[in-house]
Amino acid sequence: MRRSLMSLAVFSCIIGFSTPASAHFQEIIPSADVLEDGGSVSLNLIFTHPFEGAPVMQMKKPVRLGVLDQGKNVDLLPRIAEKPVDGKEAWTVSYDLAEPDAAIFYVEPQPYWEPAEGRYIVHYAKVVVDNYAFGEGWDELVGLPVEIQPLTRPTRYLDGQRLFRRPSEGR
Ligand SMILES: [Cu+2]
């Protein structure tokens, strides 16, 4: 699970690649991808080499950080907190998920200068957290300039069952 989570977060939306040997990407890693009992999720934002786990790179405060929750875009920048990793600037944010639904967290980091390509690059990234293992809403788009729309459910099932129904679906 950890690996698929990572690949979702890392490969969600990437403009431009540097050479694979030195592949650094924006990470947005939630504390859980499915909250079986609802509650709070925290996400770590790290600019690093995900497959090697290091070295961590400096990540300036992002331009945008938000979540699409219950069909509404919530700005999470006011709640962001610094959480350095290996002495490099990195960030974290916590968010309470109230209703059964998939919440889609996303980040627009500041552009960084990629010497290998002679250009600035922005790693848009997003990740889905399924609250109460609801199992729907994960394919909604948050409206990034480049964005992958999942064609299959990116979060795990609980015994193949949904635990909750929307109120409109009745019993
Ligand atoms: Cu690198």
Side-chain angles (χ1 to χ4, degrees):
M1 193 61 241
R2 196 73 200 159
R3 178 153 291 272
S4 64
L5 223 189
M6 181 79 89
S7 55
L8 174 69
V10 166
F11 292 116
S12 18
C13 294
I14 295 160
I15 300 179
F17 277 86
S18 56
T19 55
S22 60
H24 39 249
F25 297 101
Q26 178 64 53
E27 285 185 349
I28 177 167
I29 307 290
S31 50
D33 70 326
V34 178
L35 297 171
E36 297 175 21
D37 303 311
S40 178
V41 64
S42 61
L43 297 102
N44 289 332
L45 302 153
I46 305 172
F47 187 32
T48 186
H49 300 73
F51 299 101
E52 298 86 353
V56 175
M57 297 164 74
Q58 198 75 11
M59 181 192 167
K60 293 178 185 161
K61 189 173 182 178
V63 175
R64 263 202 299 171
L65 174 65
V67 60
L68 183 66
D69 180 23
Q70 302 288 298
K72 287 192 203 117
N73 256 298
V74 181
D75 180 10
L76 297 180
L77 262 191
R79 312 179 195 200
I80 198 173
E82 278 192 77
K83 187 183 176 186
V85 176
D86 295 346
K88 295 289 172 25
E89 211 173 354
W91 303 86
T92 189
V93 69
S94 295
Y95 185 73
D96 290 325
L97 292 167
E99 302 293 329
D101 199 3
I104 306 170
F105 293 88
Y106 57 91
V107 61
E108 177 185 344
Q110 290 194 29
Y112 79 97
W113 176 252
E114 177 54 77
E117 296 193 34
R119 68 182 74 191
Y120 284 93
I121 293 180
V122 177
H123 285 186
Y124 294 93
K126 71 175 186 179
V127 69
V128 177
V129 175
D130 193 12
N131 196 30
Y132 287 106
F134 188 66
E136 292 180 8
W138 42 260
D139 57 347
E140 285 168 38
L141 294 172
V142 301
L144 298 172
V146 287
E147 182 172 357
I148 288 175
Q149 185 170 37
L151 297 178
T152 56
R153 181 176 173 173
T155 51
R156 105 186 118 86
Y157 290 78
L158 299 177
D159 304 325
Q161 297 290 324
R162 271 170 41 192
L163 296 182
F164 282 77
R165 292 173 174 276
R166 290 181 197 275
S168 58
E169 290 176 325
R171 286 260 131 205

